[in-house]
Amino acid sequence: MNRVLRARFILVAAMAPSLSLAFILSQFLRTTPAVIAPNLRSELDLSAVELSSLPAAIFLGSAMMQLPVGVLLDRFGPRRTISSFMLITAVGTLSISAAQSPALLAIALFVIGCGIAPVYMGLIVMLSRWVPRDRLATASSIAVAVSGTGLLLSSTPFAWATAAIGWRDTLGFIGMGTVVVAAIVWLVARDHPPGEMVAETNQETLTETIRGIGHILTDRRLYGLAAVASVSVGSLLTTRALWTGPYLNDVYGLGLIARGDVILAMSAAWLVSSLLYGPLDRVFDTRRGVVSAGAIGMAVAYVLLAVNNNSSVALVTGLLVLLGLSAAFTAPIFAHVRALFPDTHTGRAITAINLFTWSGVFVVQMATGAIVNAFPADALGRSPLAAYQTMFAALAVVLIIAVLIYRRTEDVPPSNDIAS
């Protein structure tokens, strides 16, 4: 590594804690419903469809903000965009403490979704300016792995806090901390390396910037990437952030802390996996191949969950861990996006993919809610095993279809980035 690259990595390391806090927080907020979903169901007397609509509100908010966020990232940079939106996140998180009905809770979650919308994409844009293209997947995977701390915190630790002071007060404290995170990002983060400016983007007029969205959306390559991103992320987050808790409660009779422990194991597997996926595109010199293999691995895990009739908690924990190990291939997806589109359209390209991704999460959560709701619950509101098996089977089928669509998108090996 030459001296310039070494200096860049040192500066990135210096900025990393502030960006990591924002990313960890966004992952935490997206995935907290899994642990407390049974509590929400009993406290607010929710059906399966109503329960699925609450976390879906987060992803709907994120989806609706993606195209505006893409414009803001390209025009004003990740630092100002992320720090400003984190204040919106704080408002939504603090509002949860006062929400006393499903409608008000859904609105607060929607506001949170809007606020965290630019965090991951802003980080990818920033890394694309600081890190060589052929190493973007590795750098992104490290960032995703760090953000996995948010998944860990939203499992057993969140269960402990909920048991001690309640989920409302816990999230209230998180909301106050979000304001601090916004200030830290504003003070510490930098959009590009010293001495380098993104001149092409800065010279665009607002009209030209908005027109660039149309250019991205008319590119057919976008939709193969969107298919695999939306279905894979939608399936994982729907499972991790919504249905794992009710599944473990309804089928295996696990309480709050025990559910948190299983979700912790699944989250830890995903965190390890995100580190392992990072360099694979360079090892095998293919991004499309790595993403395809990961999605097929997820489909296999869902098939095994769909056919599992065993009452062993250890076995189902192992299957959920397998799902986590398969699923952390989002970094190669966005590296693939980054390689296909020009520098001036980076923010809009990756946020266009993210629009489909978060929309996919929203659709998958609502669809799985309809599937589970189609099976009558018992007197205690618990859904039967068949409801969850049907849901897992449906996710496996949709993943395979998404892979077949994605395979039609041209590959851009990392070796091409080095050559360019």
Side-chain angles (χ1 to χ4, degrees):
M1 185 185 301
N2 62 38
R3 185 176 302 175
V4 173
L5 286 180
R6 189 179 298 113
R8 284 194 180 189
F9 276 111
I10 291 172
L11 289 171
V12 169
M15 293 191 300
S18 65
L19 297 171
S20 297
L21 284 172
F23 204 0
I24 288 168
L25 181 62
S26 69
Q27 292 284 48
F28 175 87
L29 292 171
R30 285 191 183 106
T31 53
T32 49
V35 171
I36 62 171
N39 306 67
L40 293 174
R41 183 171 58 187
S42 60
E43 180 179 331
L44 300 174
D45 192 25
L46 303 175
S47 68
V49 171
E50 291 171 327
L51 180 64
S52 66
S53 70
L54 289 179
I58 296 180
F59 300 103
L60 178 62
S62 290
M64 291 181 64
M65 289 306 299
Q66 285 310 303
L67 293 182
V69 160
V71 173
L72 294 171
L73 288 173
D74 280 338
R75 190 164 180 82
F76 299 108
R79 170 178 160 266
R80 284 185 283 182
T81 304
I82 293 174
S83 58
S84 299
F85 272 67
M86 291 306 292
L87 296 177
I88 299 174
T89 305
V91 171
T93 307
L94 291 169
S95 298
I96 291 179
S97 299
Q100 297 298 325
S101 69
L104 292 176
L105 188 57
I107 291 171
L109 292 168
F110 176 82
V111 172
I112 289 174
C114 293
I116 60 179
V119 175
Y120 183 31
M121 297 301 94
L123 180 60
I124 297 297
V125 172
M126 193 174 290
L127 287 175
S128 71
R129 297 174 181 176
W130 283 82
V131 178
R133 283 192 179 197
D134 65 304
R135 296 179 182 269
L136 181 58
T138 300
S140 301
S141 293
I142 293 172
V144 169
V146 171
S147 78
T149 305
L151 300 182
L152 301 182
L153 291 173
S154 68
S155 54
T156 301
F158 182 54
W160 287 338
T162 297
I165 64 173
W167 59 271
R168 293 181 185 275
D169 288 342
T170 301
L171 292 176
F173 285 119
I174 295 296
M176 290 185 283
T178 304
V179 177
V180 178
V181 173
I184 293 173
V185 171
W186 177 269
L187 293 171
V188 176
R190 294 294 178 267
D191 289 336
H192 49 74
E196 290 191 14
M197 300 297 291
V198 190
E200 296 88 346
T201 301
N202 291 339
Q203 290 176 356
E204 282 189 338
T205 66
L206 179 59
T207 300
E208 290 170 338
T209 301
I210 295 173
R211 252 185 223 142
I213 296 175
H215 172 75
I216 294 295
L217 293 177
T218 55
D219 193 317
R220 288 185 297 177
R221 298 174 299 178
L222 179 76
Y223 296 97
L225 291 153
V228 73
S230 60
V231 173
S232 61
V233 176
S235 298
L236 174 70
L237 286 181
T238 295
T239 304
R240 166 60 180 80
L242 175 59
W243 291 117
T244 301
Y247 173 55
L248 296 172
N249 177 79
D250 296 355
V251 178
Y252 295 90
L254 299 189
L256 178 66
I257 303 300
R259 295 194 304 265
D261 290 340
V262 176
I263 294 171
L264 178 65
M266 179 184 179
S267 302
W270 181 89
L271 189 154
V272 172
S273 175
S274 64
L275 287 173
L276 296 177
Y277 267 110
L280 290 183
D281 64 334
R282 286 187 291 122
V283 171
F284 297 104
D285 200 29
T286 173
R287 288 165 176 141
R288 188 176 63 187
V290 170
V291 171
S292 300
I296 292 171
M298 283 185 71
V300 170
Y302 278 121
V303 168
L304 294 175
L305 284 166
V307 301
N308 176 40
N309 292 308
N310 197 298
S311 61
S312 168
V313 174
L315 176 59
V316 76
T317 300
L319 294 178
L320 291 170
V321 165
L322 176 62
L323 178 63
L325 287 172
S326 305
F329 51 86
T330 51
I333 291 176
F334 285 107
H336 196 172
V337 175
R338 178 67 182 83
L340 286 172
F341 294 94
D343 294 349
T344 53
H345 290 64
T346 300
R348 283 158 288 184
I350 60 178
T351 51
I353 291 294
N354 226 27
L355 166 64
F356 290 101
T357 299
W358 298 136
S359 298
V361 178
F362 174 77
V363 171
V364 172
Q365 289 194 345
M366 297 304 293
T368 53
I371 291 172
V372 174
N373 200 55
F375 293 79
D378 64 14
L380 297 177
R382 296 174 301 189
S383 298
L385 172 61
Y388 296 103
Q389 289 179 318
T390 303
M391 177 188 70
F392 292 139
L395 293 176
V397 171
V398 175
L399 271 164
I400 294 300
I401 294 172
V403 171
L404 294 175
I405 296 172
Y406 170 66
R407 293 291 299 177
R408 302 180 65 182
T409 305
E410 66 180 276
D411 197 6
V412 183
S415 58
N416 287 9
D417 290 336
I418 297 174
S420 61

